[in-house]
């Protein structure tokens, strides 16, 4: 019985940490990559969105921060966000899909030489996953 109790305690702690991470992510004003800061979706649209998933780390293609947002009108949020970032010099690098699901990616050169910032948003009718990433590379414009 002690192993079962320990396992359930660990599951409860993991769930609490995930809930805390999601709540904190909903209030973010920027995605922080040390020398580079990317405005958060919430700071651009001016409203908090429920965050149902958070992942951060470093992979073979750079440092990433991934957030899954829930929204009544995902395309409206995404269009507002993309328009604002384009006004700040970001460029569209991928544009796929339709009004139901798809993917859009925008990018800009990093302040660090030889690095770029990419934001990839995959969307459906009720949510979208935003992946912000800093990686080595150059921009391929759409």
């Amino acid at each position: 019985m002690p192993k079962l109790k320990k396992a359930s305690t660990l599951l409860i702690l993991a769930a609490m940490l995930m809930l805390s991470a999601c709540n904190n992510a909903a209030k973010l004003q920027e995605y922080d990559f040390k020398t580079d800061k990317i405005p958060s979706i919430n700071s651009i649209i001016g409203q908090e969105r429920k965050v149902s998933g958070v992942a951060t780390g470093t992979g073979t293609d750079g440092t990433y921060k991934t957030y899954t947002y829930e929204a009544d009108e995902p395309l409206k949020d995404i269009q507002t966000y993309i328009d604002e970032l384009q006004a700040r010099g970001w460029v569209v690098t991928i544009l796929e899909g339709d009004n139901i699901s798809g993917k859009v990616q925008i990018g800009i050169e990093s302040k660090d030489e030889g690095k770029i910032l990419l934001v990839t948003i995959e969307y459906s009718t009720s949510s979208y996953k935003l992946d912000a990433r800093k990686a080595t590379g150059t921009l391929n414009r759409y």
Side-chain angles (χ1 to χ4, degrees), residues 15-128:
M16 289 174 58
L17 287 173
M18 183 62 173
L19 182 60
S20 176
C22 288
N23 286 338
N24 290 339
K27 296 174 181 17
L28 280 178
Q29 292 300 300
E30 60 189 18
Y31 310 118
D32 187 354
F33 291 93
K34 299 192 182 191
T35 57
D36 295 295
K37 313 285 188 237
I38 301 172
S40 73
I41 193 90
N42 293 330
S43 71
I44 299 294
I45 64 172
Q47 298 175 352
E48 273 186 28
R49 292 289 181 249
K50 181 180 178 187
V51 177
S52 59
V54 175
T56 62
T58 303
T60 56
D61 54 350
T63 303
Y64 66 89
K65 299 171 187 294
T66 304
Y67 303 94
T68 302
Y69 294 93
E70 295 179 17
D72 293 332
E73 298 179 272
L75 285 177
K76 184 176 176 185
D77 287 3
I78 294 164
Q79 189 64 58
T80 301
Y81 189 67
I82 298 297
D83 288 349
E84 179 59 30
L85 289 186
Q86 283 184 297
R88 296 179 187 198
W90 290 68
V91 296
V92 174
T93 57
I94 295 174
L95 186 58
E96 303 171 349
D98 52 31
N99 289 342
I100 297 177
S101 65
K103 176 166 81 170
V104 62
Q105 182 181 76
I106 53 175
I108 196 166
E109 284 82 14
S110 166
K111 291 179 183 176
D112 297 329
E113 189 174 335
K115 304 259 185 198
I116 57 174
L117 300 172
L118 296 171
V119 173
T120 306
I121 304 171
E122 295 181 40
Y123 62 90
S124 66
T125 56
S126 62
S127 67
Y128 49 95

